[in-house]
Amino acid sequence: MSYRERQAVTEDRKPGSDEARSVFAPPSGAAVDGDMSTTSEFAIPEGLAVPRATGPESETTSEFALPPGLDVPHAPGTEPEGSAFTPPSTYSARQAPTAFTPPNGIPKVSLAKDVPWQDRMRTMLRMPVTERPAPETTHRGGDDDSGPAVPRVLDLTLRIGELLLAGGEGAEDVEAAMFAVCRSYGLDRCEPNVTFTLLAISYQPSLVDDPVTASRTVRRRGTDYTRLAAVYQLVDDLSDDETAVSLEEAYRRLAEIRRNRHPYPGWALTGASGLLAGAASVLVGGDLIVFVAAALGAMLGDRLAWLCAGRGLPEFYQFTVAAMPPAAIGVALTLGHVDVKASAVITGGLFALLPGRALVAGVQDGLTGFYITASARLLEVLYFFVGIVAGVLTVLYFGVQLGARLNPDAKLGVSDQPVLLIGASMLLSLAFAVLLQQERSTVVWVTLNGGVAWVVYGAMHYAGGISPVASTAAAAGLVGLFGQLLSRYRFASALPYTTAAIGPLLPGSATYFGLLAIAQNEIDEGLVSLSKAVALAMAIAIGVNLGSEISRLFLRIGSAEKRRAAKRTRGF
């Protein structure tokens, strides 16, 4: 067929031509009424024709059609979602939807610079994610307007949290620091999670985006409050918008903190352990000979512990070995019939080994709701205590078998010179601060705080006749209060101002007499004395935490809603 012939056929089949027939058209010869030529089964019967609407109204007759007047207007520039399978529109900060006000209102959050970052971040952590105030737009080290990479920010956050947790900081303060680092770089929808050995953080850009999660394991722990203070200063600078610390600068400062050497050499730490034991022996009634004997025993135990640590032995055996020399010197003085208080020598050596720092941190985690971390810390304290018990009991058992007459009923006397006792308590706190590797600027303050603690304890217990547990709790509460005030004044951690100050309150004598009674097969009396030691230790930890919480009640913090998350611990 030629082109002209195909064109002629096409024109003949155009609408209106005689040959144009519908597939539903009746066959030729069939009768057709009127103008209707369609005989399909879908045709509307005669008399039921629906009149066509005249105007812009919709012709939809479905039951899902919206009635007139109920059409939902769409925002300009956005496309309506016509199907349930249409992908939802993602949230954009630049084109945010209309804000929603919760029924109970939006809590007032103060982000003033005169409020410590710990309080600001702790307040926002206790708020639901949807009610947290959004951070201001920051540009710190990003290649474009999108800011720094999320994985790098999370990695920096985990490294900072690792140093804080390894240094003995409480789990709540570690979470607050991690949240502060993420928020300083614009990551507000993040959730940190801290346990005893694991740090994790999750960030979700929006409700429709996949979350980014990173974790880090804490494998090594070390007591260095100078490094802890440097990390706190770094977090404080990151939380301040005026400093504008970039991501590269933060990594550089963090590397310098990790490379810094300890402020005190090894011989200074050994001497500090001797001074601590000697000062503790004076607090329980020892004289100059007892002071020297306790100091020598503690220094020898410290060197043996360093030797065990160099061989890779666990800390349990280090505590066991370190507890033996003071007990051996006390037994040797008794066997040599030297007119000294052997009990004071052994008690002074125990003061340098009791894990007061871990005990306070464990109880604090339990009181703030971190029960898993608190259980792990308290279990660590229990293992250390068992190691001390094993070392001392071994020496006392052999001493009793050799004929050493150690009297468990002997009461340790207290000197009638209050000035000497106050001086010994301050010396003990100073030596404890050196052992904790504190900054030299904080040593003076914690020394004074330790003297105040002993003054309160002595006035209540010896002068007022109040029970030792209540006196210890009151003195520890004052230590926690002063430590919190000093830390707020310097925008630093409260641990350097409180941990060493509780040294004079540690239950060294109750521990010794309990172990001695058990060694002499007087189990009931030994357990009673050890129970008293545990009660004193718990009084110290609870008193320190209570003092810190009292200071927060009377000082301005970041929100009027102090602890909303505490409701879940009451069952609703």
Side-chain angles (χ1 to χ4, degrees), residues 31 86 90 127 200 302 334 340 388 424 466 537:
T86 304
T90 58
M127 297 170 54
D302 181 76
T334 303
V340 295
I388 297 172
I466 303 176

Side-chain angles (χ1 to χ4, degrees), residues 293-353:
L296 289 177
M299 288 189 291
L300 182 58
D302 181 76
R303 287 293 90 190
L304 289 177
W306 278 96
L307 180 62
C308 294
R311 299 290 182 178
L313 290 178
E315 286 185 298
F316 175 85
Y317 300 104
Q318 298 177 27
F319 275 82
T320 302
V321 172
M324 289 183 175
I329 292 179
V331 171
L333 291 176
T334 303
L335 291 175
H337 301 287
V338 180
D339 189 14
V340 295
K341 293 183 178 180
S343 301
V345 176
I346 302 176
T347 301
L350 291 177
F351 265 87
L353 300 176

Side-chain angles (χ1 to χ4, degrees), residues 443-485:
V443 171
V444 177
W445 293 106
V446 73
T447 301
L448 295 176
N449 203 7
V452 171
W454 182 260
V455 169
V456 174
Y457 174 79
M460 294 182 64
H461 179 55
Y462 296 112
I466 303 176
S467 66
V469 176
S471 303
T472 301
L478 199 60
V479 167
L481 177 61
F482 286 168
Q484 192 65 231
L485 293 177

Side-chain angles (χ1 to χ4, degrees), residues 29-176:
V32 180
D33 296 334
D35 297 335
M36 180 177 292
S37 61
T38 303
T39 60
S40 170
E41 59 181 351
F42 297 103
I44 301 175
E46 184 178 358
L48 295 180
V50 180
R52 293 181 176 271
T54 57
E57 295 184 1
S58 175
E59 299 179 2
T60 305
T61 59
S62 171
E63 60 181 355
F64 298 102
L66 292 176
L70 293 181
D71 294 337
V72 181
H74 297 284
T78 61
E79 297 180 358
E81 299 180 0
S83 172
F85 301 98
T86 304
S89 58
T90 58
Y91 174 83
S92 176
R94 297 181 179 178
Q95 298 179 355
T98 306
F100 171 73
T101 304
N104 54 355
I106 299 177
K108 180 181 179 182
V109 178
S110 175
L111 300 180
K113 298 177 182 178
D114 55 346
V115 178
W117 63 265
Q118 300 97 310
D119 290 337
R120 288 180 283 159
M121 299 304 132
R122 189 183 295 111
T123 301
M124 283 184 285
L125 271 177
R126 293 169 180 171
M127 297 170 54
V129 178
T130 56
E131 298 181 11
R132 293 175 185 170
E136 298 180 359
T137 305
T138 57
H139 304 283
R140 299 185 180 185
D143 298 333
D144 51 12
D145 293 339
S146 61
V150 172
R152 294 193 65 194
V153 175
L154 298 184
D155 178 70
L156 176 67
T157 302
L158 291 174
R159 291 178 183 273
I160 290 178
E162 178 189 11
L163 288 180
L164 292 177
L165 188 62
E169 191 60 80
E172 186 179 27
D173 292 329
V174 175
E175 283 195 357

Side-chain angles (χ1 to χ4, degrees), residues 486-503:
L486 290 172
S487 66
R488 288 169 177 268
Y489 175 73
R490 304 191 62 177
F491 280 49
S493 173
L495 288 181
Y497 301 100
T498 58
T499 305
I502 65 174

Side-chain angles (χ1 to χ4, degrees), residues 15 98 103 204 280 310 349 405 432 526 558:
T98 306
Q204 189 175 13
R405 296 182 178 179
F432 205 172

